[in-house]
Amino acid sequence: MITHLRGELVEKTKSYLIIDCHGVGYHIHISSYTYSSLLEKEGKYICIHTYLFIKENKHVLYGFFDKEERKIFSYLISVNGIGPSSAIMLLSSMTPYEIEKSISKEDIKVLNKVKGIGTKTAQRIIIELKDKIIKGILTTKKEKNVKLLENSPYLIKKEALSALSILGFSPQKSKKVLDDILEKNPEFSVENLIKESLKKIVKL
């Protein structure tokens, strides 16, 4: 697996890049998100995160401005019926953060606005990825040395509130929902607390 390429950006379009790495030119498919993030970089040395897609005799290299975009791409192509082209279309229409937020909030209408994403496809994306998105947010926070004491409801609530804020929910509304859930389920883990709060908060 080619995980990244570091070299000179010799050509850039809205759909692909060509990077020269020690005399070898790599053709890399990209999203509009990556294109916009790389403005003013042509002719300069860059590092692009990559994903090598292999299917039968076809080898296609996809490039991403950051690891977060690549992670969302890998999530999307794991969904039945979503190929690399559809994943790139989603990442060209929405930022990685907006995709995470839409999936977590089960916002089918927002996903429907993307060309080629119908209602059934949007539902499938949400069903298959919602848990992964939530776990991904928690993992990212742990990687930033946010440690929890498992038996501390205060810290569990604080972590859940932070995760919900990242997903775009107002702290005031989230706090009320979390308090109600913890009152009935004080043994909940952070992951269970977030899952249950998302079910309730989207109905408010």
Side-chain angles (χ1 to χ4, degrees), residues 104 134 164 169 194-202:
S104 301
I134 294 170
L164 290 172
F169 296 102
I194 293 173
K195 285 182 181 179
E196 189 62 28
S197 63
L198 282 171
K199 292 178 186 177
K200 296 179 180 298
I201 204 168
V202 294

Side-chain angles (χ1 to χ4, degrees), residues 94-130:
M94 307 165 68
T95 66
Y97 166 74
E98 288 170 339
I99 292 174
E100 285 187 328
K101 183 178 176 181
S102 298
I103 293 172
S104 301
K105 294 178 70 174
E106 300 185 18
D107 198 334
I108 293 174
K109 290 182 179 180
V110 172
L111 295 172
N112 274 163
K113 292 179 181 179
V114 179
K115 184 180 179 181
I117 305 298
T119 300
K120 289 185 178 179
T121 301
Q123 289 173 334
R124 192 159 58 244
I125 290 172
I126 289 168
I127 291 169
E128 295 189 29
L129 297 185
K130 185 175 178 180

Side-chain angles (χ1 to χ4, degrees), residues 92-201:
S92 292
S93 305
M94 307 165 68
T95 66
Y97 166 74
E98 288 170 339
I99 292 174
E100 285 187 328
K101 183 178 176 181
S102 298
I103 293 172
S104 301
K105 294 178 70 174
E106 300 185 18
D107 198 334
I108 293 174
K109 290 182 179 180
V110 172
L111 295 172
N112 274 163
K113 292 179 181 179
V114 179
K115 184 180 179 181
I117 305 298
T119 300
K120 289 185 178 179
T121 301
Q123 289 173 334
R124 192 159 58 244
I125 290 172
I126 289 168
I127 291 169
E128 295 189 29
L129 297 185
K130 185 175 178 180
D131 285 351
K132 283 185 179 180
I133 294 296
I134 294 170
K135 287 179 181 177
I137 291 171
L138 292 176
T139 300
T140 299
K141 292 183 73 60
K142 287 177 182 177
E143 288 174 350
K144 292 179 179 177
N145 296 321
V146 179
K147 297 181 180 180
L148 291 177
L149 299 175
E150 289 185 1
N151 297 321
S152 171
Y154 170 76
L155 289 177
I156 288 173
K157 175 186 170 183
K158 183 179 179 181
E159 184 72 1
L161 185 62
S162 176
L164 290 172
S165 295
I166 290 172
L167 293 173
F169 296 102
S170 72
Q172 190 172 16
K173 183 186 291 186
S174 299
K175 185 176 182 298
K176 185 178 184 306
V177 171
L178 292 172
D179 285 340
D180 291 342
I181 295 171
L182 281 173
E183 186 177 349
K184 298 175 184 176
N185 306 277
E187 77 288 353
F188 264 11
S189 65
V190 176
E191 186 176 335
N192 289 333
L193 182 57
I194 293 173
K195 285 182 181 179
E196 189 62 28
S197 63
L198 282 171
K199 292 178 186 177
K200 296 179 180 298
I201 204 168

Side-chain angles (χ1 to χ4, degrees), residues 1-175:
M1 171 68 106
I2 301 174
T3 187
H4 73 268
L5 289 172
R6 190 185 301 277
E8 183 183 359
L9 178 59
V10 296
E11 186 176 345
K12 174 168 63 71
T13 74
K14 289 187 176 181
S15 59
Y16 71 86
L17 307 174
I18 293 180
I19 297 179
D20 186 301
C21 299
H22 304 292
V24 179
Y26 291 87
H27 185 283
I28 307 166
H29 293 269
I30 60 169
S31 68
S32 295
Y33 173 80
T34 290
Y35 175 81
S36 299
S37 301
L38 290 173
L39 288 177
E40 314 254 330
K41 291 288 185 179
E42 196 162 339
K44 299 180 180 179
Y45 279 84
I46 64 168
C47 180
I48 195 85
H49 302 282
T50 56
Y51 187 103
L52 180 61
F53 183 79
I54 302 174
K55 185 177 182 181
E56 298 174 353
N57 296 323
K58 191 176 183 181
H59 291 57
V60 183
L61 197 58
Y62 292 90
F64 309 94
F65 179 70
D66 52 35
K67 291 181 180 180
E68 181 66 17
E69 186 191 14
R70 183 175 62 185
K71 181 187 76 174
I72 297 300
F73 175 85
S74 66
Y75 281 175
L76 289 169
I77 63 174
S78 72
V79 176
N80 184 33
I82 298 291
S85 296
S86 296
I88 288 294
M89 181 66 73
L90 276 158
L91 286 163
S92 292
S93 305
M94 307 165 68
T95 66
Y97 166 74
E98 288 170 339
I99 292 174
E100 285 187 328
K101 183 178 176 181
S102 298
I103 293 172
S104 301
K105 294 178 70 174
E106 300 185 18
D107 198 334
I108 293 174
K109 290 182 179 180
V110 172
L111 295 172
N112 274 163
K113 292 179 181 179
V114 179
K115 184 180 179 181
I117 305 298
T119 300
K120 289 185 178 179
T121 301
Q123 289 173 334
R124 192 159 58 244
I125 290 172
I126 289 168
I127 291 169
E128 295 189 29
L129 297 185
K130 185 175 178 180
D131 285 351
K132 283 185 179 180
I133 294 296
I134 294 170
K135 287 179 181 177
I137 291 171
L138 292 176
T139 300
T140 299
K141 292 183 73 60
K142 287 177 182 177
E143 288 174 350
K144 292 179 179 177
N145 296 321
V146 179
K147 297 181 180 180
L148 291 177
L149 299 175
E150 289 185 1
N151 297 321
S152 171
Y154 170 76
L155 289 177
I156 288 173
K157 175 186 170 183
K158 183 179 179 181
E159 184 72 1
L161 185 62
S162 176
L164 290 172
S165 295
I166 290 172
L167 293 173
F169 296 102
S170 72
Q172 190 172 16
K173 183 186 291 186
S174 299
K175 185 176 182 298

